[in-house]
């Protein structure tokens, strides 16, 4: 291929790459546009510049390995320029390829791998069918493994936290239900010998978080231990509990709800 | 006098006859070149192998699902399926007559199928300890957009960012998430490893069949399936290592111009290797140096000597220069491990020390006997291969190399000789694996030295065991032996942990589950990043990655913190550890008290030996009653304590404790709590 043509193709690829980034194209399209070029072309250009034309298998493997090296070197340059970004990478790869096109000797550039040897025969229809069946089976294996992994929950994911915000004289109590079904709880916020706030039969959807921000001051001393307790409605057993020690500086009470 | 002379002559002739027999067995190369490639390329068998592997992979996935729920039938389904997964590709790739590309593709199918085992093992996230360490470095580069951000659990990782840069480039440009990008790239690296190795062996042996045998035997190294299937810097560096080896080993058969170009390519890759993994770069220098020595000792042709030396020097000096440039603590990092391993090996050889119990995990559970047999058979097969192949490799003449042997030319192929010498060092890895401290060194050296051992064993097969017997029975037997070797190698490297099981304490991948992950995520959302945390081994890696926290580690100069969780009371010693380590938070995993750690320790190496038992439940929760400590997250069985109050007592008060009010009873994890009456 003429080097000028290769240059135009490179410009087209770079523009397409920016289009992919600007339009936030689907990952599959972005991967198909970017990967074959970034993981092959720089290395292939190096081989072409060095006039190394060998067996196709070696050319292919060598091109990919050299492209990985080019990517690593580009990464260091981008780090120096503080540009390890999406567009930074695209520009760096494009400039590296442009450089390889420009510094090479005058001969045409080769981008293919077929440098002699018998061509591979075309697969027949039954072979394609068997190959397709294999890929379907492979996909099914991955899906099965993923679904088993997703379902594996040896311990319940139920979090309750209690954090204090000293500046706002408030505490935040939160509950996250990481299970697959909605759950109901009673939530109590207790001071020393007093109930600060109580939320009965609080429903938390699957995967949802409920946060309560409560303003509170120590009543009888400079500091007070505040406890949050999560209970199953109608049952005495405490499911979760947390505590913080707050110090005086606080003004009492108004509370707000937040659901994420 | 005459009788004595006759006896001496008879003895000499008997010795000579014995030596001829021995030499015929261990040393003489098969004089005829191997018959190669008289069968055209066909897609059919490859498609069939792919289908068989896919079906078996589905069975493996099903078995993993059973393993997750603790079904005892999982093992009976899993291990035979893994063995059957290897067999067709190994058998087909090493048939006597086959197109070389078909051989290579069959090997690629075996290599990728073995990698797919890892995907099926952990399809949703990284499962291995080392992967988490590199994942943290990748996250830093991805999110902070700069290199060399400190990694608290593996400080050298950000200093060698080759791996992370390649993943960062693809992930950023395509928008793929980091895990998916890493999985795809590791699959690509696996393909490149197999291809580079095949090409190297093919060039040295002058035979695609010998190369196929060698690659298949190489797959039996203990790191092939699991360690080099990891998202870790050595995985990528090993690809560079193999490609440079290929370039160096073929220098002697290159034309002058080709030799210059190959040297240029090796020198282009060497810096990338140096910034990807230090040890692999040194190993590359070693192999290139060995090749240079072989070229030096063989008088003709000499043109390969200078390029090989140049590559060896580059591979040796570049990582040293890089380490100086970035002040990498590699000497400390590697030195202590090597010294410990050598001491342990010395004690073992002198009979003073006890060896490691083979096929027994840290918690004392032994592998099933059949797996033990496969693992031992794998190593034994290589030993047999080395015995029958070493001298054959030294006297080996590739078909295209016309120069005959003479007394001034100790070997005919310097590439083969270099591989032979490399293979001769293979038993060292086995010795190291017998020791406690050197086990990891043996494991890490194994893939590198297996390159030589695989070639020597392949020469033994093609030039001795299968030199004349090429029938179907012999082929099937060879395929079976290869499958046993690869299977045994997987057992030696990954062990019984390759099959999923229910949750276990401190078992890395077997301990990673949603409750731990969500707790780590919460720390990042609620507390921010890079707080100084104390936690156990598994929660450390979750906090490091999902939580983006800074973990204290004795490996890197932080004070020991195991006492915080082991000791029954919180006294001056514990308070001092918190202050010295500037500990912000403590993540307590209540499950630790329920079992021994599968991987030998809870918080830091040696803690179980020191304390002798799991930490007690009440000791883990003593912080509930320590003044100045807040219990800020209850995600039972995980609890997070805020220790800021211990470091800055002005901000807290101990009134609740001082007035004798007992701390609230235990949460749901212990099942002893009751509801307190509301006022």
């Amino acid at each position: 291929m003429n080097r000028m043509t290769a240059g135009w193709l490179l410009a087209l690829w770079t523009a397409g790459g920016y289009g992919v980034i600007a339009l936030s194209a689907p990952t599959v399209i972005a991967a198909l546009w970017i990967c074959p070029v970034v993981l092959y072309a720089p290395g292939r250009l190096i081989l072409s510049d060095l006039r190394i034309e060998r067996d196709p298998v070696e050319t292919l493997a060598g091109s990919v390995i050299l492209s990985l090296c080019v990517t690593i070197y580009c990464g260091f340059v981008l780090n120096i320029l503080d540009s390890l970004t999406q567009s930074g990478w695209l520009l760096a790869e494009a400039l590296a390829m442009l450089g390889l096109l420009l510094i090479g000797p005058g001969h045409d550039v080769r981008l293919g791998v077929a440098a002699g040897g018998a061509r591979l025969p075309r697969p027949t229809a039954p072979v394609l069918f068997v190959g397709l069946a294999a890929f379907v089976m492979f996909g099914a294996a991955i899906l099965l493994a993923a679904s088993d992994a997703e379902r594996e929950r040896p311990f319940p994911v139920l979090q309750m936290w209690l954090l204090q915000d000293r500046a706002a004289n408030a505490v935040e109590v939160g509950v996250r239900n990481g299970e697959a079904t909605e759950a109901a709880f009673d939530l109590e916020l207790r001071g020393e010998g007093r109930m600060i706030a109580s939320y009965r039969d609080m429903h938390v959807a699957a995967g949802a978080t409920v946060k309560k921000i409560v303003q509170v001051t120590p009543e009888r001393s400079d500091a007070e231990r505040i406890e949050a307790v999560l209970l199953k409605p109608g049952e005495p057993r405490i499911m979760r509990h947390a505590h913080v020690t707050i110090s005086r500086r606080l003004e009492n009470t108004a509370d707000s709800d937040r659901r994420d | 006098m005459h009788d004595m002379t006759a006896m001496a002559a008879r003895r000499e002739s008997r010795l000579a006859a014995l030596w001829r027999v021995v030499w015929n067995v261990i040393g003489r190369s098969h004089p005829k070149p191997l018959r190669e490639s008289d069968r055209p390329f066909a897609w059919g068998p490859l498609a069939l192998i792919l289908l068989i592997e896919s079906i078996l992979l589905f069975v493996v996935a099903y078995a993993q699902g059973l393993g997750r729920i603790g079904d005892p039938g999982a093992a009976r389904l899993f291990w035979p399926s893994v063995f059957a997964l290897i067999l067709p590709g190994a058998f087909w790739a090493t048939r006597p007559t086959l197109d070389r590309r078909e051989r290579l593709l069959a090997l690629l199918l075996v290599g990728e199928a073995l990698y797919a085992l890892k995907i099926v093992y952990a399809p949703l996230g990284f499962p291995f300890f080392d992967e988490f360490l590199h994942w943290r470095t990748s996250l830093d580069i991805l999110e902070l957009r700069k290199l060399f951000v400190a990694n608290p659990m593996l400080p050298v990782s950000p200093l060698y960012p080759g791996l992370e840069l390649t993943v960062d480039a693809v992930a950023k440009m395509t928008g793929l998430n980091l895990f998916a990008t890493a999985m795809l790239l590791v699959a690509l690296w696996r393909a490149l490893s197999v291809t580079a190795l095949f090409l190297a062996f093919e060039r040295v042996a002058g035979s695609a069949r010998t190369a196929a045998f060698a690659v298949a035997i190489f797959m039996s190294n203990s790191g092939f399936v699991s360690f080099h299937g990891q998202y870790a810097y050595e995985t990528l560096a090993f690809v560079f290592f193999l490609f440079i080896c290929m370039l160096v080993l073929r220098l002697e058969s290159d034309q002058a111009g080709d030799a210059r170009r190959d040297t240029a390519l090796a020198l282009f890759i060497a810096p990338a290797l140096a910034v990807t993994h230090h040890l692999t770069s040194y190993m590359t220098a070693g192999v290139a140096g060995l090749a240079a020595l072989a070229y030096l000792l063989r008088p003709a042709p000499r043109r390969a000597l200078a390029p090989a030396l140049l590559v060896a020097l580059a591979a040796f000096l570049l990582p040293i220069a890089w380490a100086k440039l970035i002040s990498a603590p590699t000497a400390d990092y590697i030195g202590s491990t090597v010294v410990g391993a050598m001491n342990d090996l010395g004690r073992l050889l002198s009979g003073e020390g006890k060896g490691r119990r083979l096929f027994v995990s840290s918690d004392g559970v032994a592998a099933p006997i059949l797996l033990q047999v496969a693992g031992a058979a794998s190593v034994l097969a290589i030993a047999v291969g080395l015995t029958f192949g070493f001298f054959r490799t030294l006297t080996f003449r590739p078909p295209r190399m016309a120069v005959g042997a003479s007394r001034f030319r100790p070997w005919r192929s310097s590439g083969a000789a270099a591989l032979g010498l490399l293979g001769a060092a293979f038993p060292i890895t086995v010795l190291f694996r017998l020791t406690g401290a050197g086990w990891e060194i043996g494991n890490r050296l194994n893939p590198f030295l297996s390159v030589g051992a695989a070639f020597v064993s392949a020469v033994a097969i093609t030039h001795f065991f299968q030199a004349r017997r090429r029938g179907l029975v012999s082929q099937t037997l060879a395929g079976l032996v290869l499958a046993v070797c690869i299977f045994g190698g997987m057992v030696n490297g990954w062990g019984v942990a390759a099959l999923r099981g229910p949750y276990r304490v401190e078992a890395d991948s077997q301990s990673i589950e949603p409750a731990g992950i969500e707790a780590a995520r919460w720390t990042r959302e609620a507390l921010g990043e890079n707080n100084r945390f104390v936690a156990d081994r598994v929660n450390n890696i979750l906090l490091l990655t999902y939580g983006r926290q800074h973990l204290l580690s004795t490996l890197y100069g932080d004070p020991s913190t195991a006492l915080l969780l082991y000791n029954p009371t919180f006294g001056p010693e514990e308070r001092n550890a918190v202050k010295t380590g500037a500990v912000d938070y403590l993540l307590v995993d209540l499950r630790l008290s329920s079992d021994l750690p599968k991987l030998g320790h809870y918080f830091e190496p040696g803690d179980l030996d020191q304390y002798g038992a799991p930490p007690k439940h009440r000791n883990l929760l003593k912080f509930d009653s320590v003044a100045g400590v807040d219990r800020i997250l209850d995600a039972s069985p995980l609890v997070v304590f805020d220790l800021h109050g211990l470091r800055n007592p002005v901000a807290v008060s101990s009134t609740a404790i001082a007035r004798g009010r007992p701390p609230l009873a235990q949460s749901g994890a212990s099942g002893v709590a009751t509801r307190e009456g509301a006022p």
Side-chain angles (χ1 to χ4, degrees), chain B residues 243-252 266 287-288 291-292 295 307-308 311:
Chain B
F243 202 73
I244 293 178
C245 285
M246 179 193 89
L247 294 169
V248 169
L249 290 173
R250 74 183 188 190
L251 282 170
E252 67 178 328
V287 174
Y295 295 141
V311 174

Side-chain angles (χ1 to χ4, degrees), chain A residues 46-47 50 52 66 73, chain B residues 243-244 247 251 257-271 307 310-311:
Chain A
I46 291 172
L47 292 180
L50 289 172
I52 297 175
L66 293 168
Y73 301 143
Chain B
F243 202 73
I244 293 178
L247 294 169
L251 282 170
D258 286 346
R260 277 197 298 275
R261 293 185 188 108
D262 281 348
T263 310
L265 288 185
L267 292 176
F268 184 79
I269 298 169
L310 192 62
V311 174

